[in-house]
CSV table of all heavy atoms in Angstrom, one decimal:
chain,number,residue,atom,x,y,z
A,1,SER,N,50.0,45.9,102.5
A,1,SER,CA,50.8,46.8,101.8
A,1,SER,C,50.4,46.8,100.1
A,1,SER,O,50.4,47.8,99.5
A,1,SER,CB,52.3,46.6,101.8
A,1,SER,OG,52.6,46.7,103.2
A,2,PHE,N,50.2,45.7,99.7
A,2,PHE,CA,49.8,45.5,98.3
A,2,PHE,C,48.5,46.1,98.1
A,2,PHE,O,48.3,46.8,97.0
A,2,PHE,CB,49.8,44.0,97.9
A,2,PHE,CG,49.5,43.8,96.4
A,2,PHE,CD1,50.3,44.0,95.4
A,2,PHE,CD2,48.2,43.4,96.1
A,2,PHE,CE1,49.9,43.8,94.0
A,2,PHE,CE2,47.8,43.1,94.7
A,2,PHE,CZ,48.8,43.4,93.7
A,3,ILE,N,47.5,45.9,98.9
A,3,ILE,CA,46.2,46.5,98.7
A,3,ILE,C,46.3,48.0,98.8
A,3,ILE,O,45.6,48.6,98.1
A,3,ILE,CB,45.1,45.9,99.9
A,3,ILE,CG1,45.0,44.4,99.6
A,3,ILE,CG2,43.8,46.7,99.8
A,3,ILE,CD1,44.2,43.7,100.8
A,4,ASN,N,46.9,48.5,99.7
A,4,ASN,CA,47.0,50.0,99.9
A,4,ASN,C,48.0,50.7,99.0
A,4,ASN,O,48.3,52.0,98.9
A,4,ASN,CB,47.3,50.4,101.3
A,4,ASN,CG,46.2,49.9,102.3
A,4,ASN,OD1,45.0,49.9,101.9
A,4,ASN,ND2,46.7,49.5,103.4
A,5,LEU,N,48.8,49.9,98.1
A,5,LEU,CA,49.8,50.5,97.3
A,5,LEU,C,49.0,51.3,96.2
A,5,LEU,O,48.2,50.9,95.5
A,5,LEU,CB,50.6,49.4,96.7
A,5,LEU,CG,51.9,49.9,95.8
A,5,LEU,CD1,52.9,50.7,96.6
A,5,LEU,CD2,52.5,48.6,95.3
A,6,GLU,N,49.6,52.5,95.9
A,6,GLU,CA,49.1,53.4,94.8
A,6,GLU,C,50.1,53.4,93.7
A,6,GLU,O,51.4,53.6,93.9
A,6,GLU,CB,49.0,54.8,95.5
A,6,GLU,CG,47.9,54.9,96.4
A,6,GLU,CD,47.7,56.4,96.9
A,6,GLU,OE1,48.4,57.3,96.5
A,6,GLU,OE2,46.8,56.7,97.7
A,7,THR,N,49.6,53.4,92.4
A,7,THR,CA,50.4,53.4,91.3
A,7,THR,C,50.5,54.7,90.8
A,7,THR,O,49.5,55.4,90.6
A,7,THR,CB,49.8,52.3,90.2
A,7,THR,OG1,49.7,51.0,90.9
A,7,THR,CG2,50.7,52.3,89.1
A,8,ASP,N,51.7,55.1,90.5
A,8,ASP,CA,52.0,56.5,89.9
A,8,ASP,C,52.9,56.3,88.7
A,8,ASP,O,54.1,55.9,88.7
A,8,ASP,CB,52.7,57.5,90.9
A,8,ASP,CG,52.7,58.9,90.4
A,8,ASP,OD1,52.4,59.1,89.3
A,8,ASP,OD2,53.0,59.7,91.2
A,9,LEU,N,52.2,56.6,87.5
A,9,LEU,CA,53.1,56.5,86.3
A,9,LEU,C,54.2,57.5,86.2
A,9,LEU,O,55.2,57.3,85.5
A,9,LEU,CB,52.0,56.6,85.1
A,9,LEU,CG,51.0,55.5,85.0
A,9,LEU,CD1,50.0,55.7,83.7
A,9,LEU,CD2,51.6,54.1,84.9
A,10,LEU,N,54.0,58.7,86.7
A,10,LEU,CA,55.0,59.8,86.7
A,10,LEU,C,55.3,60.1,88.1
A,10,LEU,O,54.7,61.0,88.7
A,10,LEU,CB,54.5,60.9,85.9
A,10,LEU,CG,54.3,60.7,84.5
A,10,LEU,CD1,53.7,61.9,83.7
A,10,LEU,CD2,55.6,60.4,83.7
A,11,PRO,N,56.1,59.4,88.8
A,11,PRO,CA,56.4,59.8,90.2
A,11,PRO,C,57.1,61.0,90.3
A,11,PRO,O,57.9,61.4,89.4
A,11,PRO,CB,57.3,58.7,90.7
A,11,PRO,CG,57.9,58.0,89.4
A,11,PRO,CD,56.8,58.2,88.5
A,12,SER,N,56.8,61.7,91.4
A,12,SER,CA,57.6,63.2,91.6
A,12,SER,C,58.9,62.9,92.1
A,12,SER,O,59.1,62.4,93.3
A,12,SER,CB,56.7,64.0,92.5
A,12,SER,OG,57.2,65.2,92.7
A,13,PHE,N,59.9,63.4,91.4
A,13,PHE,CA,61.3,63.4,91.9
A,13,PHE,C,62.1,64.5,91.1
A,13,PHE,O,61.7,64.8,90.0
A,13,PHE,CB,62.0,62.0,91.6
A,13,PHE,CG,62.0,61.6,90.2
A,13,PHE,CD1,63.2,61.9,89.4
A,13,PHE,CD2,61.1,60.8,89.6
A,13,PHE,CE1,63.4,61.5,88.1
A,13,PHE,CE2,61.1,60.4,88.3
A,13,PHE,CZ,62.2,60.7,87.6
A,14,ASP,N,63.0,65.0,91.6
A,14,ASP,CA,63.8,66.2,91.1
A,14,ASP,C,64.9,65.7,90.4
A,14,ASP,O,65.7,64.8,90.8
A,14,ASP,CB,64.4,67.0,92.3
A,14,ASP,CG,63.2,67.8,93.0
A,14,ASP,OD1,62.3,68.0,92.4
A,14,ASP,OD2,63.4,68.0,94.3
A,15,LEU,N,64.9,66.2,89.1
A,15,LEU,CA,66.0,66.0,88.3
A,15,LEU,C,67.2,67.0,88.5
A,15,LEU,O,66.9,68.1,88.7
A,15,LEU,CB,65.6,66.0,86.8
A,15,LEU,CG,64.6,65.0,86.4
A,15,LEU,CD1,64.2,65.1,85.1
A,15,LEU,CD2,65.2,63.5,86.5
A,16,PRO,N,68.4,66.5,88.3
A,16,PRO,CA,69.6,67.5,88.6
A,16,PRO,C,69.8,68.5,87.4
A,16,PRO,O,70.9,68.6,86.9
A,16,PRO,CB,70.8,66.6,88.9
A,16,PRO,CG,70.5,65.4,88.0
A,16,PRO,CD,69.0,65.1,88.1
A,17,TYR,N,68.7,69.1,86.9
A,17,TYR,CA,68.9,70.1,85.8
A,17,TYR,C,68.1,71.3,86.2
A,17,TYR,O,67.1,71.3,86.8
A,17,TYR,CB,68.2,69.5,84.6
A,17,TYR,CG,69.0,68.3,84.0
A,17,TYR,CD1,68.6,67.0,84.4
A,17,TYR,CD2,70.0,68.4,83.0
A,17,TYR,CE1,69.4,65.8,83.9
A,17,TYR,CE2,70.6,67.3,82.5
A,17,TYR,CZ,70.3,66.1,82.9
A,17,TYR,OH,71.0,65.0,82.4
A,18,VAL,N,68.7,72.5,85.7
A,18,VAL,CA,68.2,73.8,85.8
A,18,VAL,C,68.2,74.5,84.6
A,18,VAL,O,69.2,74.5,83.9
A,18,VAL,CB,68.7,74.6,87.0
A,18,VAL,CG1,68.0,76.0,87.0
A,18,VAL,CG2,68.6,74.1,88.3
A,19,LEU,N,67.0,75.0,84.1
A,19,LEU,CA,67.1,75.8,82.7
A,19,LEU,C,67.0,77.2,83.1
A,19,LEU,O,66.1,77.7,83.8
A,19,LEU,CB,65.8,75.3,81.9
A,19,LEU,CG,65.6,76.0,80.6
A,19,LEU,CD1,66.8,75.8,79.7
A,19,LEU,CD2,64.4,75.5,80.0
A,20,VAL,N,67.9,78.0,82.5
A,20,VAL,CA,67.8,79.5,82.7
A,20,VAL,C,67.3,80.1,81.3
A,20,VAL,O,68.0,79.9,80.3
A,20,VAL,CB,69.2,80.1,83.0
A,20,VAL,CG1,69.1,81.5,83.2
A,20,VAL,CG2,69.7,79.4,84.5
A,21,MET,N,66.1,80.7,81.3
A,21,MET,CA,65.7,81.2,80.0
A,21,MET,C,65.7,82.8,80.1
A,21,MET,O,65.3,83.4,81.2
A,21,MET,CB,64.2,80.9,79.8
A,21,MET,CG,64.1,79.3,79.6
A,21,MET,SD,62.4,78.9,79.4
A,21,MET,CE,61.6,79.4,81.0
A,22,THR,N,66.1,83.4,79.0
A,22,THR,CA,66.2,84.9,78.9
A,22,THR,C,65.7,85.4,77.6
A,22,THR,O,66.1,84.8,76.6
A,22,THR,CB,67.8,85.3,79.2
A,22,THR,OG1,68.2,84.8,80.4
A,22,THR,CG2,67.8,86.9,79.2
A,23,ASN,N,65.0,86.4,77.7
A,23,ASN,CA,64.5,87.0,76.3
A,23,ASN,C,65.1,88.2,76.1
A,23,ASN,O,65.4,89.1,76.9
A,23,ASN,CB,62.9,87.3,76.4
A,23,ASN,CG,62.2,86.0,76.5
A,23,ASN,OD1,62.5,84.9,76.0
A,23,ASN,ND2,61.0,86.1,77.3
A,24,TYR,N,65.6,88.4,74.8
A,24,TYR,CA,66.3,89.6,74.2
A,24,TYR,C,65.5,90.0,73.0
A,24,TYR,O,66.0,89.8,71.9
A,24,TYR,CB,67.7,89.4,74.0
A,24,TYR,CG,68.4,90.6,73.7
A,24,TYR,CD1,68.0,91.9,73.9
A,24,TYR,CD2,69.8,90.5,73.5
A,24,TYR,CE1,68.7,93.0,73.5
A,24,TYR,CE2,70.6,91.7,73.2
A,24,TYR,CZ,70.0,92.9,73.2
A,24,TYR,OH,70.8,94.1,72.9
A,25,PRO,N,64.4,90.8,73.1
A,25,PRO,CA,63.6,91.1,71.8
A,25,PRO,C,64.5,92.0,70.9
A,25,PRO,O,65.1,92.9,71.2
A,25,PRO,CB,62.4,92.0,72.3
A,25,PRO,CG,62.3,91.6,73.8
A,25,PRO,CD,63.7,91.3,74.3
A,26,GLY,N,64.2,91.4,69.6
A,26,GLY,CA,64.8,92.2,68.4
A,26,GLY,C,66.4,91.8,68.2
A,26,GLY,O,67.0,92.5,67.3
A,27,ALA,N,66.9,90.9,68.9
A,27,ALA,CA,68.3,90.6,68.8
A,27,ALA,C,68.5,89.3,67.9
A,27,ALA,O,67.6,88.4,68.0
A,27,ALA,CB,68.9,90.3,70.2
């Protein structure tokens, strides 16, 4: 297991955050 273990500095996991972006030109 140690030999086949892969190191990931930034593992993929979902954070409980959602960003909603809206553009309103000229406002």
